[in-house]
Amino acid sequence: MTSQTPRAPSHPLNLNHLPLNHLRSFLVIGRHQSLMRAAEDMHLTASALSHQLSALEERLGAKLFLRHGRGLAFTDVGRRLHARVETCLAELDDALQEAARPAPERDLVVSALHTFATRWLLPRFTRFPAQVANTEIRISRIDTNFDHDNVDCAVFYGDGCWPGLTAEFLQDEYLVLVCDPSVRARHALEHYTDVLRHDLLAAKARPEDWALWCAAAGITRDPSQRQLTLESRNLVIEAAESGLGLAVVDPRMVVKELAAGRLVSPWDLRVQGPGAYYLVYPDDRPLSSKAMAFRAWLIDEFRNDIDALGNDPAALA
């Protein structure tokens, strides 16, 4: 019977040059406790396995098995090593299997400003193409961090100039005057100058909207005219619907309200807004197949808006 006394390695142990197949052979030999049965399992000769085992023991400077009758028995070192090798090789096999599997295609992540997302994009969700049925829509600001937030693309409003981003023009914005029917009942809106007798509603981020509309209507506002300035366009729309005053908005954002008569537009006057809508994504990252499908759908939807709007703000409904 061979002694268990460890021998010093013939040279310093360098795991970088330790053949992986020697460890796999050691694992199978340990399971069978027999060179012959291990050889049959691995479709090798017992002599080849014996050579690999001897080379491994030589490199480690320790005996891993003792001969026991016609079989083998672990040494203490061999038993401990076998348990660790079994765990490590199982983890390695799992990792290789996982690496070989195609990565699952993740959901499309689209970012958009609050008013656009809630009043234009979400109501069209049922019309999304099948390729982007699983879409995550995030409410964002213009300073969306595409890498940190893992965003595929976004719909921005502005001048189309955002450093490091590709901005594809979608459509200009147009503004119309809207109000709750009760507001028009209290003070008639027959002529553009009648606007000067009403309270006005404005978004904090859009101070130029009323100036654009008044210039197009050919009227000059009285500096003393009351104006309620709110944080967002969404709040402006809600305030108009509550009868708090007149608002100048993109008719696409009030489709349901116009269709239901909760808001009315007294005139056909449409004024081009200060910015436009753009599909935006990083310069250095091509659009995925899902993002391309979303892009095609988005362009079609905006084109349909143009066709439907005509001269009637309520036509989009």
Side-chain angles (χ1 to χ4, degrees):
M1 188 176 293
T2 307
S3 169
Q4 287 189 234
T5 304
R7 301 189 306 274
S10 57
H11 50 77
L13 184 61
N14 186 345
L15 295 180
N16 291 330
H17 300 290
L18 187 63
L20 184 61
N21 62 323
H22 287 190
L23 292 177
R24 292 195 180 277
S25 296
F26 165 63
L27 184 65
V28 178
I29 294 169
R31 287 173 181 166
H32 291 287
Q33 298 282 288
S34 166
L35 282 171
M36 292 298 294
R37 289 197 294 272
E40 292 175 2
D41 192 353
M42 299 185 73
H43 304 289
L44 296 172
T45 65
S47 175
L49 285 186
S50 178
H51 175 75
Q52 290 183 13
L53 178 59
S54 296
L56 179 60
E57 290 178 327
E58 181 69 19
R59 183 171 291 276
L60 296 176
K63 281 291 182 183
L64 302 177
F65 294 100
L66 297 174
R67 295 201 175 275
H68 183 71
R70 301 180 65 179
L72 299 173
F74 279 124
T75 63
D76 290 340
V77 172
R79 184 178 296 104
R80 291 195 299 271
L81 180 62
H82 191 272
R84 299 290 293 275
V85 168
E86 187 171 35
T87 299
C88 291
L89 290 185
E91 291 181 356
L92 178 60
D93 285 341
D94 288 344
L96 292 174
Q97 291 292 334
E98 182 177 340
R101 286 195 296 268
E105 192 173 8
R106 68 180 184 85
D107 293 346
L108 177 69
V109 179
V110 176
S111 179
L113 298 177
H114 184 270
T115 302
F116 180 84
T118 57
R119 292 184 171 272
W120 191 94
L121 193 56
L122 287 179
R124 289 167 164 78
F125 180 76
T126 56
R127 302 211 293 265
F128 277 20
Q131 302 98 304
V132 294
N134 294 327
T135 301
E136 180 179 341
I137 298 175
R138 296 182 184 172
I139 307 301
S140 69
R141 301 172 297 176
I142 287 295
D143 58 352
T144 295
N145 188 321
F146 285 82
D147 293 325
H148 180 270
D149 299 331
N150 210 25
V151 172
D152 292 285
C153 57
V155 179
F156 283 179
Y157 174 87
D159 60 7
C161 296
W162 295 282
L165 299 176
T166 295
E168 294 191 35
F169 175 81
L170 293 171
Q171 195 178 109
D172 287 318
E173 177 194 49
Y174 288 90
L175 305 173
V176 300
L177 185 147
V178 297
C179 64
D180 177 78
S182 65
V183 172
R184 186 168 60 175
R186 288 198 301 268
H187 298 290
L189 287 168
E190 297 178 357
H191 308 286
Y192 292 151
T193 52
D194 292 336
V195 168
L196 304 178
R197 297 189 297 150
H198 288 263
D199 294 337
L200 306 184
L201 304 170
K204 185 177 180 181
R206 304 288 300 266
E208 68 275 40
D209 286 356
W210 270 112
L212 290 171
W213 191 91
C214 288
I219 62 175
T220 302
R221 287 184 55 190
D222 185 338
S224 64
Q225 186 176 8
R226 294 208 319 171
Q227 176 174 300
L228 176 61
T229 301
L230 299 166
E231 188 65 29
S232 68
R233 288 190 298 165
N234 206 46
L235 288 177
V236 167
I237 294 169
E238 291 179 6
E241 196 174 352
S242 297
L244 298 182
L246 308 180
V248 170
V249 300
D250 184 338
R252 280 171 293 222
M253 305 303 138
V254 289
V255 169
K256 290 182 178 179
E257 290 78 4
L258 289 170
R262 296 194 300 271
L263 289 176
V264 294
S265 183
W267 301 293
D268 291 338
L269 178 64
R270 288 190 297 153
V271 180
Q272 186 168 338
Y277 297 99
Y278 293 85
L279 178 68
V280 178
Y281 49 92
D283 286 337
D284 59 355
R285 188 195 308 165
L287 289 175
S288 66
S289 58
K290 285 189 174 184
M292 288 296 290
F294 176 77
R295 171 184 176 275
W297 172 85
L298 193 67
I299 291 171
D300 283 344
E301 287 293 315
F302 269 102
R303 185 180 296 117
N304 291 338
D305 277 0
I306 295 176
D307 294 340
L309 186 56
N311 291 318
D312 182 3
L316 288 170

